[in-house]
Amino acid sequence: MQVTLHQDKCVASGQCVLAAQDVFDQRDLDGVAVLLDDRPPAELHDDVRQAATVCPALAIALADA
Amino acid sequence: MNTPGNVVVVGASVAGLTAAVTLRTLGYDGRLTLIGDEPHTPYNRPPLSKQILAGTWEPDRIKLRTDEELSDLDARLLFGRSATGLDTAARRVVLEDGDSVSYDALVIATGVTPNSLPGAHHLAGVHLLRTLDDALALRADLRHKPGVKVAVVGAGFLGSEAAAAARRMQLDVTMIDPRPVPMRRQFGDRIAGLVGRLHTKNGVSMRCGTGVRRFFESGGRVTGLELTDGTLLDADVVVVAIGAAPAVGWLAGSGLELGNGVECDPTCRAAPGVYAAGDVASWHNDHFGCRMRLEHRLNATEQAQAVARNVLGEGQPFAPVPYFWTDQYDAHIQAYGIFPADAELAVLHGELEGGHFVVAYGHRGRVVGVLGWNSPCELRKLRQLVVDRAPWTSILPTPPTVWPGRHLSASLR
Ligand SMILES: Cc1cc2nc3c(=O)[nH]c(=O)nc-3n(C[C@H](O)[C@H](O)[C@H](O)COP(=O)(O)OP(=O)(O)OC[C@H]3O[C@@H](n4cnc5c(N)ncnc54)[C@H](O)[C@@H]3O)c2cc1C
Ligand code: SF4
């Protein structure tokens, strides 16, 4: 799984961190999400899919890799 | 468990589409039909009153799914068609052209329709703001000529965002609301007062505590309005943002309970085989022990996911901690939970006057909500207080304003 994060769309809602905190974090300054791991291990894939689904800004894209 | 072989979803925006996508993700391989009355493929609404209105984004950026992803859904997509009736006994949805579609399970996701103001909407220059077409029409009018005078009627989150977008375009903006401060219903007097000051600081002329008496026109176009306190205002463009009502007209006579929205049980089920999700759904949230209907973007996703699972037989109550955000000028306001009018307030991080803070709302001895103003990380960490329904007294002993936010946050993570 290849994760892409579009920071210019992010509204700093933190839903991705709540869903998958090993893969996403938020910048202290403005809360914009940062990607900690763009190729997360298989056991985190469900959490990352949930993060992409709940992101209210559609800022997280997933691709097979 | 009896899984249905034929699911119909009415309403093709975020809740309807998410229900359909989730069904497929969960392995549902039966028939699937998605019906929506808008001509566009599904899109995301929050940017309409922000980036789309301000002109920084074009409509392509807000599509919820690409055309390819939509076709991968393997669903019958009936867009630009509206549902006009429901027969729950025969399990059929009737369409405006007289066609009907039968179902084993139905998901109602028709959202809300904005309230209008009597005597105004036949005039050019008067706008609602719910759909992409609304936002593009309003944007064109705001750009029509320099120095446009804008009147925003209603200072809820939509009116507030529209006012902020118009100010960003350097326009002359007046905001009118019968309540004493903007966003009072959402956040209570204290925080609402800060929102009011924010607008004033950014050059909006605030007319709180007054309503609109009548509109003036010339050649079918609005030219101004008279307020209930007698004030006369010039206006080239009027934005009417006075709330919305659940889109349940098509369900009249269906036998469903239609109080404030489609009334559901805690699992979001309204009748055998019938579920509702998103802005249109009213259900009992067991976490807070009360019935609610939310007009929030995240809820539409989460509730649609829960409904998809329940359509497939899971039967789990949907009991989330709601989340909401709004962007106005440089203020990014986010909130978790509920905000009863008579709640108590405590500052957990930052200072109310400082432009960065988190406050907790206490009700009947529990923390029921936390609201952050330009403090997304601190807010996310304090959300747990609402999840735990922490006793109000447990967050009070130390004077809350001097709490070491970081330390507290770390221990809650
Ligand atoms: C301008 C704007 C800005 C917003 N900003 C924020 C924000 O910053 N933060 C936030 O949390 N929330 C925000 N929201 C709220 C959020 O967009 C909604 O909560 C969300 O769109 C609800 O999704 P839904 O699918 O339930 O309903 P909707 O998005 O309303 O979709 C319902 C769909 O059903 C269709 N429909 C209705 N009746 C019928 C029928 N009889 N037959 C067929 N189709 C029908 C409608 O045309 C519509 O396409 C905003 C909303 C608006 C309008
Ligand atoms: S869920 Fe989306 S909008 Fe929210 S912080 Fe993550 S990327 Fe940003």
Side-chain angles (χ1 to χ4, degrees):
Chain A
M1 174 188 276
Q2 171 77 44
V3 187
T4 311
L5 174 68
H6 298 285
Q7 288 184 323
D8 57 335
K9 284 188 160 187
C10 172
V11 298
S13 69
Q15 302 309 320
C16 55
V17 188
L18 291 169
Q21 60 171 340
D22 294 329
V23 179
F24 301 96
D25 200 355
Q26 284 179 282
R27 286 203 299 240
D28 274 345
L29 178 68
D30 55 9
V32 166
V34 288
L35 195 53
L36 303 176
D37 185 353
D38 67 352
R39 285 170 180 272
E43 65 269 22
L44 296 180
H45 286 188
D46 280 349
D47 292 348
V48 174
R49 272 189 214 103
Q50 175 64 4
T53 307
V54 292
C55 172
L58 315 172
I60 300 167
L62 305 180
D64 294 332
Chain B
M1 212 47 74
N2 247 348
T3 55
N6 179 17
V7 180
V8 171
V9 180
V10 182
S13 182
V14 62
L17 182 64
T18 303
V21 169
T22 308
L23 282 166
R24 289 297 190 222
T25 310
L26 294 174
Y28 171 71
D29 60 3
R31 279 160 64 196
L32 184 58
T33 306
L34 182 59
I35 303 167
D37 60 5
E38 290 189 71
H40 309 284
T41 56
Y43 57 88
N44 202 22
R45 267 173 235 284
L48 295 180
S49 51
K50 306 174 183 76
Q51 294 88 345
I52 294 288
L53 202 52
T56 51
W57 288 9
E58 292 306 320
D60 262 1
R61 287 203 77 167
I62 63 170
K63 285 190 172 196
L64 286 173
R65 288 285 186 292
T66 62
D67 293 349
E68 193 191 339
E69 288 166 333
L70 282 176
S71 76
D72 286 349
L73 247 189
D74 190 19
R76 190 149 76 110
L77 303 176
L78 303 180
F79 293 160
R81 313 264 308 260
S82 94
T84 52
L86 171 65
D87 181 340
T88 46
R91 297 207 176 198
R92 277 182 173 280
V93 173
V94 180
L95 303 182
E96 67 189 322
D97 47 19
D99 275 1
S100 69
V101 184
S102 61
Y103 63 83
D104 299 328
L106 171 69
V107 179
I108 297 171
T110 46
V112 293
T113 312
N115 296 330
S116 49
L117 212 53
H121 295 273
H122 62 291
L123 298 175
V126 177
H127 295 266
L128 293 170
L129 181 49
R130 181 78 198 169
T131 65
L132 175 57
D133 293 342
D134 292 342
L136 294 177
L138 175 57
R139 180 168 97 177
D141 238 8
L142 292 177
R143 287 172 168 179
H144 181 60
K145 58 176 178 159
V148 167
K149 287 188 167 41
V150 186
V152 179
V153 184
F157 80 91
L158 208 56
S160 295
E161 290 186 356
R167 279 303 298 147
R168 186 170 171 175
M169 299 162 89
Q170 322 269 310
L171 303 175
D172 176 336
V173 181
T174 305
M175 191 149 61
I176 301 138
D177 197 295
R179 297 185 188 87
V181 277
M183 306 207 57
R184 183 190 205 201
R185 204 168 44 85
Q186 287 85 357
F187 297 144
D189 280 324
R190 193 76 191 277
I191 303 303
L194 295 177
V195 178
R197 292 222 319 255
L198 180 70
H199 285 293
T200 309
K201 201 178 85 192
N202 281 281
V204 172
S205 162
M206 294 293 301
R207 302 287 180 140
C208 285
T210 174
V212 175
R213 183 174 290 150
R214 59 184 165 138
F215 290 82
F216 300 108
E217 62 159 307
S218 166
R221 193 176 171 94
V222 72
T223 56
L225 25 90
E226 180 184 336
L227 306 186
T228 49
D229 66 4
T231 314
L232 301 178
L233 284 178
D234 288 337
D236 309 296
V237 174
V238 176
V239 182
V240 177
I242 53 172
V248 294
W250 67 283
L251 297 169
S254 64
L256 296 182
E257 292 287 337
L258 308 171
N260 174 26
V262 177
E263 293 197 354
C264 303
D265 71 10
T267 70
C268 307
R269 200 186 73 133
V274 181
Y275 298 79
D279 288 11
V280 75
S282 157
W283 89 109
H284 192 271
N285 183 329
D286 291 345
H287 184 78
F288 295 96
C290 61
R291 177 166 283 283
M292 51 177 77
R293 185 179 68 76
L294 300 173
E295 296 181 13
H296 301 171
R297 173 64 177 80
L298 181 67
N299 184 67
T301 301
E302 291 186 333
Q303 194 164 21
Q305 290 187 315
V307 160
R309 290 191 295 268
N310 290 344
V311 163
L312 298 181
E314 209 170 275
Q316 287 294 319
F318 175 60
V321 167
Y323 168 81
F324 165 89
W325 88 99
T326 174
D327 294 320
Q328 301 169 24
Y329 315 101
D330 60 352
H332 186 64
I333 306 167
Q334 301 167 287
Y336 285 104
I338 57 173
F339 305 88
D342 54 344
E344 293 175 76
L345 217 65
V347 180
L348 301 186
H349 159 81
E351 294 166 36
L352 288 189
E353 308 300 323
H356 298 266
F357 62 80
V358 178
V359 285
Y361 288 68
H363 194 58
R364 301 199 178 128
R366 299 279 164 183
V367 178
V368 293
V370 286
L371 177 144
W373 186 297
N374 287 332
S375 301
C377 298
E378 291 77 10
L379 179 75
R380 190 191 76 239
K381 292 163 190 167
L382 291 164
R383 169 184 182 269
Q384 194 63 33
L385 294 172
V386 187
V387 175
D388 294 343
R389 299 197 303 127
W392 186 241
T393 46
S394 74
I395 66 162
L396 291 183
T398 329
T401 41
V402 300
W403 271 18
R406 274 181 187 286
H407 174 76
L408 175 74
S409 309
S411 68
L412 279 173
R413 187 141 177 192

